Amino acid sequence: SCLCGSAPCLLCGCCPSTKNSTISRLLFTFFLFLGTLVSIIMIIPGVEKELHKLPGFCEGSGSALGVRPHVDCSSFLGHKAVYRMGFAMAAFFCLFAALMVCVRSSKDPRAALQNGFWFLKFLVLVGITVGAFYIPDGAFTSVWFYFGVVGSFLFILIQLVLLIDFAHSWSQRWLCNAGESNAKGWYAALCAVTFIFYAASVAAVALLYVYYTKPEGCTEGKAFISINLILCLIVSVVSILPKIQEAQPHSGLLQASLITLYTIYVTWSALANVPTQRCNPTLLVRNSTGSATATEPPTTWWDAPSIVGLVIFILCTLFISLRSSDHPQVNKLMLTEESGAGAGAGPGGAAEEGGVRRAYDNERDGVSYSYTFFHLCLLLAALYIMMTLTNWYRPDESLQVLRSPWTAVWVKISSSWAGLLLYLWTLVAPLVLPDRDFS
């Protein structure tokens, strides 16, 4: 009954009382992390070599996969497995996004499906995953690559929204603490963190110029680094202009420094996908196109940009699941309004019956977040982690070599520009639209 019942049944007696909506979001996020863990396991070299034993997945079924039976498919087994795991997670969350359209409160019968039947949901996810591994290859990898590119682009923008909100909340909280306690230590901490972020950004830019550019050639890399550096300088200057400070007193360099650091990371990630060997020192490590790597494993996925991207993915996904924003505008954008929706029960009411801690239904009068939008965010997150774990590589026409396409480079660079423009808009919007409330 605990596995098939509602979310409150999943709380142990030792757990604190919490909201039904929070438990549901955490459990769906757990499903996403579980799929991510399985994907990571599948690209471990020792496990990747054993995937050919799966029926219909490698040798012996060339007609079904579009691969000749005598072709050694060991160079892309992990890549194919991650793509199919990503497809399964995306299909799972797409299914629930469609089922939960227009759910207004927990009185809707579909809300029980959102907040309960967890063991059955797990079986559905397992079933979709097993079915995904029987998808004939053919054009699947090429087509699904572009689905992953679009989804990853959108999730990077969502990460930027969450990062901007986090930076604003962080700065506002520290400034309020400094104002209430009259302690200069808060201001000192604010200045120190801002300095560290900018110092790390400057050091990263210098390293990018050293390792991803050459005195002659590598024009694209030089242009990408220079443009993003100039844009980061612009948003930093704009954030401290007197008129901006007057319209948004809590705007400052802390937010700009954090956005700058993230932008430099996205630039680094984009440069790591440049397919030109001379301008990308990490390309040989992850590609078997050259004779220099003939004795090395055909694919090595554990590079620094992917590891950093995985950490950012985990933090942002937990951010989506655990909290609503301090800013109403972000709540409207993310469709989460935890504080104002559904006050059906509280920690002091039906939450603790007979002294037993449990979850309580806080959505009787209205849902505290959009079920559909939440599942769409997890869908995009599944596509993003799929692309991150495969380093945005895709097999060539022979399906024996994984190459990094220019598409990945341009998508990442475009997302960094879109993120900077989005942050710039948050600064100038109160001046451009003075009649709207941006508090």
Side-chain angles (χ1 to χ4, degrees):
S1 61
C2 288
L3 291 176
C4 296
S6 60
C9 295
L10 291 170
L11 274 181
C12 302
C14 59
C15 296
S17 298
T18 189
K19 300 171 183 176
N20 205 13
S21 58
T22 303
I23 292 295
S24 297
R25 281 183 286 181
L26 284 175
L27 288 172
F28 275 113
T29 303
F30 170 76
F31 282 173
L32 177 63
F33 287 167
L34 183 62
T36 302
L37 179 62
V38 173
S39 299
I40 293 174
I41 292 175
M42 286 181 173
I43 58 177
I44 296 175
V47 178
E48 182 181 7
K49 293 179 181 178
E50 299 297 322
L51 289 177
H52 68 88
K53 296 181 180 179
L54 293 177
F57 193 61
C58 187
E59 296 178 343
S61 57
S63 58
L65 293 173
V67 183
R68 296 186 301 274
H70 65 274
V71 172
D72 181 14
C73 58
S74 60
S75 62
F76 61 96
L77 272 178
H79 183 279
K80 287 176 55 179
V82 173
Y83 262 45
R84 279 152 178 74
M85 195 68 221
F87 174 82
M89 290 191 293
F92 176 77
F93 292 119
C94 182
L95 172 64
F96 276 91
L99 291 175
M100 298 300 151
V101 172
C102 295
V103 174
R104 303 300 183 188
S105 70
S106 60
K107 298 176 184 177
D108 191 310
R110 291 175 294 169
L113 186 61
Q114 169 77 6
N115 299 318
F117 303 101
W118 296 103
F119 183 67
L120 296 180
K121 292 176 187 175
F122 177 75
L123 293 181
V124 170
L125 178 59
V126 171
I128 296 176
T129 302
V130 173
F133 276 81
Y134 284 92
I135 297 176
D137 207 340
F140 171 78
T141 302
S142 300
V143 173
W144 193 240
F145 170 82
Y146 288 103
F147 275 92
V149 164
V150 174
S152 299
F153 176 83
L154 296 176
F155 188 74
I156 290 174
L157 294 185
I158 291 177
Q159 286 182 335
L160 258 298
V161 172
L162 298 176
L163 195 65
I164 293 171
D165 173 51
F166 172 73
H168 276 292
S169 301
W170 186 1
S171 177
Q172 182 175 345
R173 186 168 292 110
W174 279 19
L175 289 174
C176 289
N177 291 340
E180 292 173 359
S181 60
N182 292 323
K184 295 182 179 180
W186 290 105
Y187 292 109
L190 200 64
C191 293
V193 172
T194 302
F195 174 78
I196 291 173
F197 285 164
Y198 273 122
S201 301
V202 171
V205 168
L207 291 174
L208 291 181
Y209 274 118
V210 170
Y211 289 101
Y212 290 92
T213 65
K214 299 294 182 181
E216 297 180 0
C218 302
T219 307
E220 297 88 354
K222 295 175 183 176
F224 293 152
I225 299 171
S226 301
I227 291 173
N228 280 359
L229 178 60
I230 293 172
L231 292 176
C232 289
L233 290 175
I234 291 175
V235 298
S236 298
V237 172
V238 171
S239 67
I240 56 175
L241 291 177
K243 288 187 177 181
I244 299 296
Q245 290 288 309
E246 182 180 351
Q248 296 197 63
H250 294 291
S251 174
L253 289 178
L254 176 62
Q255 298 94 315
S257 65
L258 188 56
I259 299 303
T260 297
L261 186 60
Y262 182 80
T263 301
I264 299 304
Y265 156 70
V266 176
T267 307
W268 173 35
S269 180
L271 294 176
N273 276 110
V274 171
T276 306
Q277 178 179 338
R278 182 170 176 268
C279 303
N280 183 1
T282 61
L283 188 64
L284 275 177
V285 178
R286 299 178 292 168
N287 205 333
S288 58
T289 56
S291 59
T293 57
T295 60
E296 298 293 331
T299 305
T300 302
W301 300 112
W302 302 106
D303 64 338
S306 296
I307 294 174
V308 175
L310 180 62
V311 172
I312 296 175
F313 155 78
I314 293 174
L315 295 178
C316 288
T317 308
L318 289 176
F319 193 92
I320 293 173
S321 303
L322 287 176
R323 73 185 288 271
S324 59
S325 174
D326 295 333
H327 296 80
Q329 298 298 330
V330 178
N331 280 330
K332 290 178 182 178
L333 179 63
M334 301 302 295
L335 301 182
T336 57
E337 196 75 41
E338 193 88 321
S339 59
E352 299 186 11
E353 295 180 359
V356 178
R357 297 184 180 91
R358 52 169 294 179
Y360 58 91
D361 185 3
N362 62 314
E363 298 179 311
R364 295 175 186 173
D365 299 325
V367 295
S368 61
Y369 65 101
S370 170
Y371 291 173
T372 296
F373 187 79
F374 172 70
H375 288 298
L376 288 178
C377 286
L378 294 188
L379 186 156
L380 297 178
L383 295 177
Y384 173 80
I385 198 60
M386 177 188 77
M387 300 303 294
T388 299
L389 292 179
T390 58
N391 289 316
W392 298 64
Y393 278 37
R394 63 177 179 181
D396 62 359
E397 295 180 357
S398 66
L399 295 180
Q400 297 185 72
V401 178
L402 293 170
R403 300 184 184 276
S404 178
W406 275 104
T407 305
V409 180
W410 282 106
V411 167
K412 291 181 180 181
I413 287 296
S414 300
S415 66
S416 68
W417 294 340
L420 287 171
L421 291 176
L422 179 63
Y423 174 62
L424 185 62
W425 171 249
T426 65
L427 296 176
V428 302
L431 299 178
V432 177
L433 303 172
D435 296 332
R436 291 187 58 182
D437 178 20
F438 289 93
S439 59

